[in-house]
Amino acid sequence: MVRIRIEISYLEGVEDPEASTLHHNLGVLGYDTVEDTRIMKIYELSFSEDTHTAMGMAKSIAENLLINPVINKYDIIVIGEEE
Amino acid sequence: MVRIRIEISYLEGVEDPEASTLHHNLGVLGYDTVEDTRIMKIYELSFSEDTHTAMGMAKSIAENLLINPVINKYDIIVIGEEE
């Protein structure tokens, strides 16, 4: 069993309207020392595969199903391995 | 400047319909060795504060604005500190 995280965020230079709105509203609510906000989505998947195969599947799932390559980037991180 | 991650996930025992649907559909699409799926949202905030104050602000932002305590839990992680 391998546990893998796919972290999806916006490409540099792409504006995330949800993050901008949060940043603005935190300022209005008095949290005015917040200098930057970013929002990411994490998909944590467990595979009954060896690590190498699971990494390949996670890459395929990310690229084919989860991200929009025009605006998103992703990182894949192995967070746990067990027999 | 302190960089803090607020990781929001579902409480144990609360069903996440988006994660269940993803799990089901991955199976249909041939990714049938995916045993479990979890989805989390990350808010990464930079504060122009000392770490202790920033942690307190992040906790307040998470509890008052970002989570629904009936279904969500959160973790706060300091991911960077600089002068």
Side-chain angles (χ1 to χ4, degrees), chain B residues 22-37:
Chain B
L22 176 65
H23 190 183
H24 176 259
N25 290 345
L26 288 175
V28 170
L29 292 167
Y31 300 102
D32 47 11
T33 51
V34 176
E35 303 289 338
D36 184 44
T37 57

Side-chain angles (χ1 to χ4, degrees), chain B residues 32-79:
Chain B
D32 47 11
T33 51
V34 176
E35 303 289 338
D36 184 44
T37 57
R38 274 181 224 180
I39 301 178
M40 278 166 284
K41 201 158 175 182
I42 309 276
Y43 294 84
E44 217 178 273
L45 308 178
S46 296
F47 294 86
S48 54
E49 297 278 7
D50 63 90
T51 305
H52 185 259
T53 310
M55 287 283 283
M57 285 175 71
K59 188 166 186 287
S60 156
I61 289 168
E63 290 181 1
N64 296 321
L65 302 170
L66 301 180
I67 76 158
N68 173 351
V70 176
I71 55 169
N72 296 135
K73 63 189 169 75
Y74 69 95
D75 288 302
I76 292 179
I77 303 155
V78 177
I79 57 167

